[in-house]
Amino acid sequence: MPEHIKMEIPSQDVSRIIGNGHSGRKVYGTAIRLVLASAIAGSVPLFTAHAQTTVTPVPGFPAPTTHSQQAYSPFDTFTSRWTRADARQIKARSNPNVAVGANSMPTSVTMPDIPANFPQTNPDVWLWDTWTLIDAHANQFSYNGWEVIFSLTADPNAGYTFDDRHVHARISYFYRRAGIPASARPRNGGWIYGGHLFPDGASVKVFGSTTLTNNAEWSGSTRLLKTDGNEVVVFYTALGFNRTADGTNITPPVAIISKANGTIHADLNHVWFTGFNNHTGLLQPDGTYYQTGQQNEFYSFRDPFTFEDPQHPGQTFMVFEGNTAGERGAKDCTAADLGYQAGDPYAEDLDTVLNSGATYQKANIGLAVSTDSSLTRWRFLPPLISANCVNDQTERPQIYIKDGKYYLFTISHRTTFAAGMDGPDGVYGFVGNGLRSDFEPLNWGSGLALGNPTDLNTAAGSDFDPDPQQNPRAFQAYSHYVMPNGLVESFIDTVEGRRGGALAPTVKIQISDATTQIDLSYGQNGLGGYGNIPANRYDLDFQGFVLDLLQSRTSSNANISLASFVQQQ
Ligand SMILES: OC[C@H]1O[C@@](CO)(OC[C@@]2(O[C@H]3O[C@H](CO)[C@@H](O)[C@H](O)[C@H]3O)O[C@H](CO)[C@@H](O)[C@@H]2O)[C@@H](O)[C@@H]1O
């Protein structure tokens, strides 16, 4: 059983569990159902196990905020906070005495150096945000013996720059034979480019009759609707750009969380998709919980990730990137957003923070619940986490369940931290006892799970760009996605000035309670294969496929032994 779906219940909690079961034909682990009717309304904790890890403050820095990890009903109004006191633990734990330009971050949360001679995944496309074919519990499925991934892609030969690729992004898919050890793959991971996922002109239909000069497809997730079937649904962000009335300027983008249904097909030689002709807009921000484009032209609203919560069987939830609703820059961060403990000598003064410019950075991680079986209608719920006056972007959020704990991972940038805050580009994580919890930021209460190697001992503000000469890997990788067994994939952005657009080496983190630690015994000094993104569940036809493959001898991979396939199951 993959560790990320294994649900183990500490003995002291067992008496509180009044139902459990298995979902479907395959056993996904002990699905826990907590039914406490009184907890449905109001901010009532569901249970109180696992109090916060004790963190000893670093001299010269504040203590992190106390977060109990308590679970609340997903329908509750409680929103956890990633506070300034929490985020300041990143600098507190970085070494201020190393020379400028050297890596000052703790090794346990630092991605090892990616070599500058990295291979391109495919010379004909830039690829960045990447996700896998998953079921409702984030298991990664192979299909008819193929592993399949989805990436944002752009054309390197179209005349625009690498940094302009976002407004040209299309979702594409790649595939490769399942079950081959990383050591037997080509250096670039061996992913075969399948082309754009959606037919040309299909995703723009989400915008109806609106006149658009440009549209793009931004991140999301792809669900195999039934693990023994071939229907898939893609949740993604449709992005549209309009010209202003005088026809000259492009107005801020309009983002609509959308979906499209299609069908996956495969034979011995390739994988392809049909469908995806009908695209349905699902959600636009409400201005109450989630900031709208009218409230802030630089709003974030994107990156849907859907899942079923074992504690609430039959319900499908979605986490996504949002911003706290309200007018841009409103000076309304509170003492709770700062999160200092009473009398902390290193606490900041609220008025000083409110006047520092930090109020322009107010990310949140949103939650919605589907209200119909076709996953077409959705209702907003209050955000799971806010980062008011801390950071402006909590991107590509995902829920990851391990050992009964709920981990909320999200990616963020150094440049989107608020004034007075600093941290690397990378993946940040929070742990609680349920989908909605008083989430404790991982690793010394900081939230940093895995960041790019960089120095944090130079003066930094929200507009600080580390010097590429001194910090050649500060932007080496981004868009990390945590996979089963703690494997983390990402894409290469810039290494020693060389731009990427390629899959990064996969790394592995050990996740335990409120701590993560990079596994330096994985791969070579912690770096696994480029784009090593394995399935952890093999489809029902897998065995038949292997036998066909071995017997047919038509494939270039026909020399793969059955043992090497079976070993991976
Ligand atoms: O392409 C849009 C999708 O990418 C995401 C996450 O990677 O948003 C990234 C973002 O751009 C920043 O990240 C880039 C690395 O991918 C970096 O090269 C760039 O300098 C950054 O601005 O894209 C938008 C538009 O630029 C920006 O607001 C984000 O931070 C994901 O959230 C999108 O779906």
Side-chain angles (χ1 to χ4, degrees), residues 8 61 72 99 207 312 362 387-388 400 434 528:
E8 283 174 5
F61 286 88
Y72 294 77
F207 297 96
H312 298 87
K362 292 179 196 164
N388 299 331
Y400 188 100

Side-chain angles (χ1 to χ4, degrees), residues 128-129 152 163 165-166 218-219 302-303 321 393 395 411 413 478-479 491 493:
W128 60 107
D129 298 12
L152 300 190
D163 287 327
R165 71 194 188 282
H166 298 280
W218 279 14
S219 286
R302 54 180 179 262
D303 304 352
E321 173 184 1
Q393 293 192 347
E395 309 194 282
I411 54 170
H413 295 295
Y478 191 58
S479 213
F491 80 95
D493 188 314

Side-chain angles (χ1 to χ4, degrees), residues 372-388:
D372 71 343
S373 57
S374 65
L375 308 180
T376 302
R377 295 203 196 94
W378 293 80
R379 178 164 72 87
F380 281 125
L381 297 170
L384 293 180
I385 285 191
S386 64
N388 299 331

Side-chain angles (χ1 to χ4, degrees), residues 17 33-34 63 105 139 170 175 217 228 272 275 308 325 331 338 364 405 448 451 480 482 493 525 528 532 553:
I17 294 164
R33 191 158 55 93
L34 291 166
M105 288 169 40
N139 284 299
R170 295 284 303 268
Y175 55 94
E217 298 158 3
D228 57 353
W272 70 101
E308 288 176 19
K331 294 182 177 179
L338 273 53
N364 69 22
K405 293 286 191 184
L448 177 59
H480 304 73
V482 186
D493 188 314
N525 300 321
N532 182 29
R553 296 173 183 277

Side-chain angles (χ1 to χ4, degrees), residues 35-46 73 76:
V35 184
L36 290 178
S38 63
I40 299 298
S43 290
V44 182
L46 283 177
S73 162
D76 201 297

Side-chain angles (χ1 to χ4, degrees), residues 339-481:
Y340 295 108
Q341 297 183 14
D344 192 318
Y346 302 102
E348 297 167 291
D349 171 63
L350 178 58
D351 280 341
T352 307
V353 173
L354 293 179
N355 292 312
S356 68
T359 55
Y360 287 94
Q361 278 77 38
K362 292 179 196 164
N364 69 22
I365 293 178
L367 183 69
V369 62
S370 176
T371 57
D372 71 343
S373 57
S374 65
L375 308 180
T376 302
R377 295 203 196 94
W378 293 80
R379 178 164 72 87
F380 281 125
L381 297 170
L384 293 180
I385 285 191
S386 64
N388 299 331
C389 283
V390 174
N391 198 310
D392 202 39
Q393 293 192 347
T394 42
E395 309 194 282
R396 295 197 66 197
Q398 60 174 122
I399 289 286
Y400 188 100
I401 299 173
K402 178 180 182 290
D403 300 338
K405 293 286 191 184
Y406 283 63
Y407 294 87
L408 183 49
F409 288 110
T410 182
I411 54 170
S412 199
H413 295 295
R414 190 168 193 183
T415 54
T416 56
F417 272 100
M421 302 282 100
D422 200 6
D425 274 41
V427 58
Y428 291 79
F430 306 85
V431 62
N433 286 306
L435 170 55
R436 183 179 298 280
S437 291
D438 184 5
F439 283 105
E440 178 181 344
L442 299 180
N443 299 324
W444 327 286
S446 72
L448 177 59
L450 188 73
N452 284 336
T454 189
D455 60 10
L456 296 175
N457 58 354
T458 45
S462 59
D463 57 353
F464 177 71
D465 265 345
D467 179 348
Q469 300 301 321
Q470 301 226 351
N471 287 283
R473 289 179 172 77
F475 301 113
Q476 67 170 9
Y478 191 58
S479 213
H480 304 73
Y481 175 77

